[in-house]
Amino acid sequence: MKASFVLRQSVVAVAFGALAGGTALAQTTPPPAAEPAKTGEPAKPEPDFTFASNVGIFSQYVFRGITQTNEKPAVQGGFDLSHKSGLYVGTWLSNVSWISDFTPGVSASLEWDMYGGFKNAFPGDFKDFGYDVGALYYYYPGTYPSGFTKPDTTELYGSLSWTFWPDKNGSVYAKYSYSANNKTFGVPDSRGSGYFDVTGTIDVIDMSYDDWKVGGSFDLLGLTVGLYGTGTNANAAPYTNIYGRNTARDQFVAYVQKTF
């Protein structure tokens, strides 16, 4: 579970469950870190390219504090391709209704984002600080009345980030987006408008874990007698009960069972 303080585009809580880490952000997130090599084994070389994808179902799509789907569900997904140098490109799609909700005669139910940029960490003593610069194009295909200002928008963005608590994924970043065209989301003469985004996250409780189980059993006088051991690698704190017992620790179970 993460605690976040956020001033940015956001998604209302998942109603039906995200399928693969999908978010309502047009920007891509960094690919997960490679699994550490086991002791005595050489670390695997970092691949030149990394491909990532996501898809999800959300109770609604909220962008910069405003519902884009009239508080109705959204299906969202995207693809990202990044190079180990820091270069990346990606695309992301979601159903929307905000354009036709405000303008009769408009048929535009899709937001299709395309973006690319460069992100990396600073060298040396500043390796906990990072930067990201790029461009993002919001495309809204559809049928529009004559004279209607289409909401297609191009933004240039830059951000700085700081990872202040790596063990808890504690980080904060500030990002500024600048509108490079003159019809920002359908508003005429809006070149130069901007949006400032500050986000911070930290792991409060890590509830995820792996578990193991091994054992055996045998028949004795019509009974099944067995013993198995089980355990997890879970963080003890969230699984320690009011009696001070870590319910996720390694433990053994013996049993005698009769099947009728």
Side-chain angles (χ1 to χ4, degrees), residues 46-81:
E46 180 183 4
D48 290 338
F49 291 92
T50 301
F51 178 78
S53 60
N54 62 81
V55 63
I57 303 175
F58 298 84
S59 60
Q60 64 169 315
Y61 171 24
V62 177
F63 177 65
R64 295 177 180 174
I66 301 174
T67 180
Q68 307 293 289
T69 53
N70 198 27
E71 301 184 357
K72 295 179 180 179
V75 178
Q76 305 171 342
F79 304 92
D80 300 295
L81 179 66

Side-chain angles (χ1 to χ4, degrees), residues 2-259:
K2 292 181 183 293
S4 301
F5 46 97
V6 180
L7 296 172
R8 63 181 174 94
Q9 56 258 55
S10 59
V11 173
V12 168
V14 177
F16 310 108
L19 303 182
T23 68
L25 305 182
Q27 295 301 324
T28 180
T29 56
E35 181 181 351
K38 296 180 180 179
T39 303
E41 295 182 2
K44 294 181 180 180
E46 180 183 4
D48 290 338
F49 291 92
T50 301
F51 178 78
S53 60
N54 62 81
V55 63
I57 303 175
F58 298 84
S59 60
Q60 64 169 315
Y61 171 24
V62 177
F63 177 65
R64 295 177 180 174
I66 301 174
T67 180
Q68 307 293 289
T69 53
N70 198 27
E71 301 184 357
K72 295 179 180 179
V75 178
Q76 305 171 342
F79 304 92
D80 300 295
L81 179 66
S82 59
H83 187 262
K84 64 180 182 180
S85 65
L87 289 170
Y88 64 88
V89 294
T91 187
W92 182 89
L93 301 93
S94 176
N95 59 291
V96 296
S97 65
W98 66 272
I99 308 169
S100 56
D101 289 340
F102 284 92
T103 308
V106 170
S107 177
S109 59
L110 177 68
E111 175 185 329
W112 183 3
D113 300 347
M114 292 156 271
Y115 48 87
F118 183 85
K119 61 184 175 184
N120 217 324
F122 290 102
D125 294 339
F126 299 97
K127 59 181 174 49
D128 292 333
F129 294 85
Y131 60 91
D132 185 359
V133 294
L136 168 60
Y137 180 61
Y138 304 84
Y139 176 50
Y140 299 92
T143 304
Y144 297 90
S146 176
F148 185 85
T149 302
K150 293 186 63 176
D152 301 341
T153 299
T154 301
E155 286 186 340
L156 307 178
Y157 59 84
S159 71
L160 294 173
S161 61
W162 173 37
T163 301
F164 58 85
W165 196 350
D167 292 342
K168 291 289 187 180
N169 292 320
S171 64
V172 61
Y173 81 83
K175 174 183 175 183
Y176 185 74
S177 300
Y178 173 87
S179 178
N181 65 352
N182 209 29
K183 52 177 184 176
T184 309
F185 300 112
V187 179
D189 303 320
S190 55
R191 178 180 288 110
S193 60
Y195 184 80
F196 187 63
D197 170 349
V198 177
T199 300
T201 63
I202 188 170
D203 285 351
V204 177
I205 300 176
D206 185 2
M207 299 290 288
S208 62
Y209 63 86
D210 298 319
D211 70 289
W212 60 270
K213 178 181 178 181
V214 62
S217 63
F218 61 92
D219 292 331
L220 177 64
L221 302 176
L223 302 174
T224 301
V225 180
L227 175 72
Y228 66 85
T230 185
T232 77
N233 62 356
N235 181 12
Y239 295 98
T240 299
N241 61 27
I242 61 174
Y243 303 106
R245 184 181 299 277
N246 176 11
T247 60
R249 66 184 177 88
D250 294 349
Q251 48 205 311
F252 291 92
V253 177
Y255 64 93
V256 177
Q257 185 180 43
K258 173 65 175 178
T259 302

